Amino acid sequence: MINEIVIAGFGGQGVLSMGKILAYSGLMEDKEVCWLPSYGPEQRGGTANVTVIVSDERISSPVLNTYDVVVVLNQQSLDKFESKVKPGGILMYDTYGIHKKPTRTDIKIYPIDATEKSIEMKNSKTFNMIVLGSMLKVRPMVTIESVLKALKKTLPERHWHLIPLNEEALKEGGNLIKE
Amino acid sequence: MNDKVTLMKGNEALAMAMIRYGAVCTSTSSPGFSLMQEGVSYLAASEVPALLINVQRGGPGLGTIHASQADYFQACKGGGHGDYHMIVLAPSSVQEMADMVALGFDLAFKYRCVSMILADGTIGQLMEKVVLPEQRPRRTDDEIRQQCPWAVNGRKGMRPSNVVTSLELDDDKMEENNWRFQACYREIEKNETRCELIDTEDCDYLITAFGTTARVAMKTMELARAEGIKVGMFRPITLWPFPEKQLREAAKNVKGILCVELNAGQMVEDVKLAVECKMPVEHYGRFGGNVPTPDELLNVLKEKLINK
């Protein structure tokens, strides 16, 4: 099983770190993983995207043109990546600021109110973990336990007290998916 | 850990001047490597081992910060002056990046030459699973005296002085030096040529690529095989010495070769020389930090070789 994923949004939304945590979660399950960021010289405000591959087999190309799962967090990224979802694949987008909705009918589309949920949780930094929670509900390529292990691995010890909040965000993200 | 030393220098030329007296490693990205060329030539002529790392970005000039492979000529054909070679290692994964540090040092010390890791911006930014090799302790001064009798770290009255220099104004002696360097390069060619072959036994078409493009081309190979097109892959791991014998052997029965690079056609010259132009050799390159995608390469393969 191979999961080819792209996460795209603005710099500062936690795009790259969401990808990194996902890749580390795969690592915790001894899967093959790969994380390739793409962003300009600026750190905040510009567009950023990251390709993550979580696979049971050896990964060939880290550079892809079509994806099984596309997660987009702004209109620009939605416009750019809608056409790059493999037929039958998944397109997930945060509804905040989206004025032109996706139109494809050969893929599964999941609008999620992640920005709204992060405001409700009174912490905008939970945003990317809410999105990750939603994504893993739709395509459970790694377990939430592995994500928590990955957080412990990637966060410096002084931030470990934030892990329960992240766990809550992952759960809330899963709850945004109603099928 | 007090056996690791990291030094920060003001610029690349200064860093190279220091390396000449330190047998160490330094890394940079393309424009910085251009600045180092004088030092590379001096290192080669002084027979001081060093490991240089160039994570290539798109040029010429300041260009872009994203991936490129346009420094192949500079690395393999000598960017500095004089007749010299570096051992050029081309990693295509993070694991290889890690492993090549130890390998690069070992080769540099074995042959008293300069070795380099020629990576690119994509491999440089990539995160993957990696098993780090065990850290080796730094050699003591006495071990250096024993293992590197050429080193200039104090004689303790044991032997005559060592002189590290690239200057030799006596023409006959300088010619002799050059013959010694060339003999060393022939030894390296004989012993240290490395490559990876994937599905080349039955292939009709061969893709040659190194670094990032080799990874992309591996996926192209999978896509092609799923369509019934037998594609094999030849990936040089040492760009110098170029694995020409291995390529000639792998390409024996193929209908054509596609050489994919992030440049306007550099390694393709060595590919053509290796196969003596006995079959069509096509080149496909992208520039400016752009990397081709697997399906793009499949279309190119069909267009340039299969449906021609």
Side-chain angles (χ1 to χ4, degrees), chain B residues 204-208 247 251 254-259 271 275 279-283 301 305:
Chain B
D204 291 326
Y205 300 94
L206 196 63
I207 300 180
T208 57
L247 175 56
V254 304
K255 295 176 187 161
I257 299 176
L258 178 67
C259 183
V271 172
V275 300
M279 68 280 294
V281 177
E282 295 287 346
H283 176 264
L301 185 74
L305 286 172

Side-chain angles (χ1 to χ4, degrees), chain A residues 34-37 60-63, chain B residues 53-56 65-69 89-98 100 117-128 210-216 218 235 262 291:
Chain A
C34 162
W35 177 94
L36 180 66
S60 51
S61 178
V63 180
Chain B
I53 302 168
N54 178 3
V55 184
Q56 299 165 90
I65 60 162
H66 293 125
S68 166
Q69 296 176 325
L89 304 165
S92 75
S93 66
V94 178
Q95 184 65 57
E96 262 187 343
M97 276 281 261
M100 281 177 178
I117 298 174
L118 188 68
D120 58 66
T122 297
I123 295 292
Q125 283 195 311
L126 195 62
M127 291 212 300
E128 290 184 304
F210 64 98
T212 288
T213 42
R215 291 286 295 274
V216 177
M218 279 178 209
R235 177 173 78 88
L262 303 180
V291 179

Side-chain angles (χ1 to χ4, degrees), chain A residues 4 27 31 35 60 65, chain B residues 127 129 215 219 222 295:
Chain A
E4 296 176 331
L27 193 68
K31 291 182 194 292
W35 177 94
S60 51
N65 192 37
Chain B
M127 291 212 300
K129 244 183 190 175
R215 291 286 295 274
K219 182 106 183 170
E222 292 164 17
D295 42 344

Side-chain angles (χ1 to χ4, degrees), chain A residues 125-137:
Chain A
K125 286 182 183 167
T126 57
F127 175 69
N128 64 353
M129 287 300 103
I130 295 171
V131 177
L132 183 60
S134 302
M135 194 198 87
L136 290 176
K137 180 73 181 282

Side-chain angles (χ1 to χ4, degrees), chain B residues 141-178:
Chain B
D141 281 358
D142 278 337
E143 282 169 340
I144 294 172
R145 279 185 198 97
Q146 277 168 10
Q147 294 164 21
C148 311
W150 45 267
V152 280
N153 61 338
R155 298 172 285 142
K156 284 190 164 178
M158 292 190 298
R159 53 173 167 69
S161 315
N162 284 334
V163 179
V164 168
T165 181
S166 65
L167 180 70
E168 181 49 75
L169 294 174
D170 180 327
D171 293 353
D172 290 338
K173 281 188 182 162
M174 193 58 205
E175 187 170 39
E176 202 180 292
N177 285 353
N178 267 282

Side-chain angles (χ1 to χ4, degrees), chain B residues 34 37-38 40 73-81 84 86:
Chain B
S34 291
Q37 293 310 309
E38 179 197 36
V40 178
F73 280 157
Q74 188 189 43
C76 299
K77 312 286 175 186
H81 60 281
Y84 75 90
M86 291 184 284

